[in-house]
Amino acid sequence: GESVGLHLPTLSVQEGDNSIINCAYSNSASDYFIWYKQESGKGPQFIIDIRSNMDKRQGQRVTVLLNKTVKHLSLQIAATQPGDSAVYFCAENRPNNAGNMLTFGGGTRLMVKP
Amino acid sequence: DAGITQSPRHKVTETGTPVTLRCHQTENHRYMYWYRQDPGHGLRLIHYSYGVKDTDKGEVSDGYSVSRSKTEDFLLTLESATSSQTSVYFCAISESPRGGNQPQHFGDGTRLSIL
């Protein structure tokens, strides 16, 4: 498979442990945030989103936390599985742009050890 | 999966040749986007479309043009390919943000190599 980034930060966790992936965003006016998962050779896959009027949102095995004070977003994965191994990106939507556009972070590689 | 097909999936061509990549969606979404993904740069927006015949430039539009003659198809053209355009190209789609922002959904990419 191909590498989506040669110098990505990497998080290595044991299977069954919880994972926390962090993202700092730059624009205090950003009002919508998304987490994507990208496996080798595939496109980014939507995981979960959160609007700026919330500080927490839960999905199946995933939770996103938003701290607007420090412009920080995190993705928590419960009971991490080998299939969770991938690159994870955060993305932010900045208001006053047309086209529902997103700005993407550089990504974090999650490696799950069996 | 989001009903997005990119073609071709892989292409190798020579510098100076024209190249067209196609993105086809079956979701009837209004917005379509072309990105390139390179090591160390993440995803960068090339062009996007907000309706048939309505397109605009993104962050890295130089050397690229787009067309959207039908809701379902968004074409990306490299008029005269250069080696710096070797990359993985992703198409994405999203609905209109009537009720608030909507996520973009991505195709599986086209790996383009320009020799």
Side-chain angles (χ1 to χ4, degrees), chain B residues 70-88:
Chain B
K70 299 184 289 185
T71 298
E72 58 265 35
D73 289 325
F74 193 31
L75 304 181
L76 177 71
T77 297
L78 292 65
E79 301 289 349
S80 178
T82 67
S83 59
S84 65
Q85 293 175 312
T86 291
S87 187
V88 182

Side-chain angles (χ1 to χ4, degrees), chain A residues 6-100:
Chain A
L6 297 179
H7 305 290
L8 288 177
T10 298
L11 174 66
S12 184
V13 301
Q14 202 70 39
E15 181 179 359
D17 288 350
N18 296 334
S19 302
I20 300 176
I21 300 171
N22 297 304
C23 178
Y25 63 93
S26 56
N27 193 325
S28 57
S30 292
D31 60 358
Y32 176 63
F33 305 87
I34 306 174
W35 279 101
Y36 287 94
K37 172 187 180 183
Q38 188 174 22
E39 297 175 282
S40 183
K42 295 190 176 182
Q45 176 186 359
F46 170 82
I47 302 173
I48 192 167
D49 57 4
I50 188 167
R51 305 191 193 284
S52 58
N53 61 352
M54 304 171 69
D55 52 25
K56 181 179 180 179
R57 190 169 188 215
Q58 290 185 286
Q60 187 177 15
R61 276 202 312 121
V62 295
T63 300
V64 55
L65 299 179
L66 175 62
N67 186 329
K68 295 182 286 293
T69 301
V70 295
K71 292 186 288 187
H72 184 267
L73 194 66
S74 69
L75 177 70
Q76 301 177 0
I77 304 173
T80 313
Q81 302 168 359
D84 295 327
S85 294
V87 176
Y88 290 80
F89 298 93
C90 66
E92 63 183 295
N93 179 78
R94 300 175 178 180
N96 300 319
N97 65 46
N100 202 27

